[in-house]
Amino acid sequence: MLDESLLDAPEALARADTRGLLRAAAESGARVRTAARHAAEAGVADLKPDGRPRAVLVAGPGAAGSCTADLLGALSGGNIPVSLIGPTGVAPAPGALRWALPGWASPLDLLVIATPDGTEPGLPRLVEQAYRRGCALVAVAPGHSPLAGAVAQARGLMVPLATSSYGPPGVGPGYATTPLDEPPNTTATTTRPEEQPQGPPPEGALGEPAPSGGHPHHTTPPHIEPPGTAPDEVTGPALPGTLWALLTPLLMLVDRIGLISAPPAALQQVADRLDRVAERCGPAIATYTNPAKTLAAELAGALPLLWTEGPVAAATGRRFAGLLASLAGRPALAADLPGALAAHGTLLAGAFAGGADPDDFFRDRVEEPEALRARIVLLHDEPAGPVSAVPAARELALAHETGFSELEPDEGSPLERAAELLAITDFAAVYLALAAADRT
């Protein structure tokens, strides 16, 4: 059940938002700007790569790794393979996760590590593997984490995570556990003796020789906060805001490689687009003019079928499904068009159909829970063209009397359109979580 009256009560939303989700979503644009500055200070803009890597390998815990790999692969347009290194182990056990490079990884490949925590013991071990194989190495993580020390020892490029400018909810805006202008703690974190890289150091990341002193670009990155200083830094980009802190430095990196066009001007446009979406989707904006609140209200009591067209929309749909599960506790199914028409066709004709009626139409339903009905949410990052399956999706929804929502971003670069889709669905998932009547 959804308490729709809460959607148009900004003060009540603020009281319900004990995790600072709305604030984290609203500051995504600021995260892009801060992350771009951190990446530039770490030396990303000064890289002189020898050419494109054969493959980009992405590792990270949970959604930090999967969402980052998914979006980098979608935005790259298939120019080179972008592969996720999935962890093994028992997730609930601290330190149980392990990552392993594929057998074919070599100096021709680039390893990217993205984590909002950086204390996972398995990631420094992955860094050691990359060092021994000669892989180029880049990591985005909190600057005082064990991972940062391991990356520095392996002569990789370390970019400090752009954390929130706010702290835990309830203390008030404008504070942080470590002020941005305060010098970071100089205590170095190193790997265990048995994990120390042995043998001669490989060349620095992306073709630049690493100096013998360690990190090839910046030994003590400025503006570093320790891990866990913001409310959304522990669980990764399943919470809004952190995704852009992880993704922005990597976009600058792949721009230098020539994989994606993401110059500073383009990232500024992304930040501006995120700010505009935050203005349109903020808690003070009424539901009828707020696309995120409208989508949340439409999904109340529904089984969302997330149909996507285009690689960026597909990555957004998968992320949205993850957010609905992790934030709102709602199931959702994501599928790409045109395959979604066949994959979900039976759902539209069965018990979840919008026009389905129980056998006993006149029985008393006052004490019964509301039946779950399928609702199609169509996401596409380009206008429907002559070979688009979007018109067929609309017709199928109409034929089965199924609710239908559609999100298409305004004109702009692929990065801007991706930012708009991600931001609206982020806000929608947060509103659905906050306004749930059975929320605990």
Side-chain angles (χ1 to χ4, degrees), residues 17-32 61 63-64 114-118 120 142 161-169 175-177 225-246 319 323 326-327 426 430:
D17 190 12
T18 58
R19 301 168 68 186
L21 300 178
L22 284 173
R23 188 167 59 189
E27 67 177 8
S28 294
R31 288 285 189 99
V32 170
T115 172
D117 189 6
E120 305 88 351
L161 182 73
T163 56
S164 171
S165 57
Y166 300 94
Y175 72 90
T177 304
E225 294 186 19
T229 58
D232 62 340
E233 298 310 326
V234 177
T235 52
L239 299 182
T242 307
L243 175 64
W244 287 105
L246 294 169
R319 171 175 162 79
L323 284 174
S326 61
L327 297 185
D426 278 1
V430 170

Side-chain angles (χ1 to χ4, degrees), residues 34-363:
T34 305
R37 185 176 71 249
H38 287 189
E41 292 170 346
V44 173
D46 299 326
L47 290 173
K48 298 178 177 62
D50 295 333
R52 291 182 179 180
R54 177 181 61 178
V56 177
L57 303 171
V58 182
S66 60
C67 289
T68 300
D70 207 5
L71 286 166
L72 284 178
L75 290 167
S76 70
N79 290 330
I80 62 174
V82 179
S83 303
L84 173 67
I85 301 177
T88 59
V90 183
L97 296 182
R98 297 290 182 269
W99 288 264
L101 288 175
W104 49 263
S106 74
L108 299 175
D109 306 309
L110 168 65
L111 173 62
V112 169
I113 299 178
T115 172
D117 189 6
T119 62
E120 305 88 351
L123 289 178
R125 296 188 178 97
L126 179 65
V127 169
E128 182 183 357
Q129 295 177 43
Y131 181 91
R132 295 183 184 281
R133 301 275 191 94
C135 298
L137 172 64
V138 177
V140 182
H144 284 247
S145 61
L147 177 62
V151 171
Q153 290 183 12
R155 314 291 169 82
L157 177 61
M158 174 66 201
V159 181
L161 182 73
T163 56
S164 171
S165 57
Y166 300 94
V171 180
Y175 72 90
T177 304
T178 301
L180 293 181
D181 56 353
E182 180 178 319
N185 185 357
T186 57
T187 303
T189 304
T190 60
T191 55
R192 296 182 301 178
E194 63 268 25
E195 293 175 348
Q196 298 285 349
Q198 303 295 325
E203 287 194 344
L206 307 174
E208 284 201 341
S212 59
H215 193 287
H217 297 287
H218 206 48
T219 56
T220 305
H223 305 309
I224 297 175
E225 294 186 19
T229 58
D232 62 340
E233 298 310 326
V234 177
T235 52
L239 299 182
T242 307
L243 175 64
W244 287 105
L246 294 169
L247 188 61
T248 300
L250 302 180
L251 290 173
M252 295 177 64
L253 173 69
V254 295
D255 175 73
R256 297 297 299 167
I257 297 173
L259 181 60
I260 298 172
S261 178
L267 293 177
Q268 180 61 48
Q269 292 173 342
V270 168
D272 293 342
R273 179 71 67 97
L274 290 170
D275 288 343
R276 290 196 294 271
V277 174
E279 293 174 357
R280 293 168 53 203
C281 298
I285 307 301
T287 299
Y288 67 92
T289 59
N290 187 320
K293 288 183 178 180
T294 299
L295 181 58
E298 291 171 346
L299 294 181
L303 172 64
L305 304 181
L306 308 178
W307 291 2
T308 62
E309 186 170 74
V312 171
T316 302
R318 289 186 287 269
R319 171 175 162 79
F320 190 28
L323 284 174
L324 290 174
S326 61
L327 297 185
R330 302 294 184 92
L333 301 175
D336 302 344
L337 290 173
L341 303 177
H344 295 166
T346 304
L347 289 172
L348 302 182
F352 294 101
D357 285 326
D359 295 335
D360 185 4
F361 180 80
F362 295 101
R363 76 176 186 273

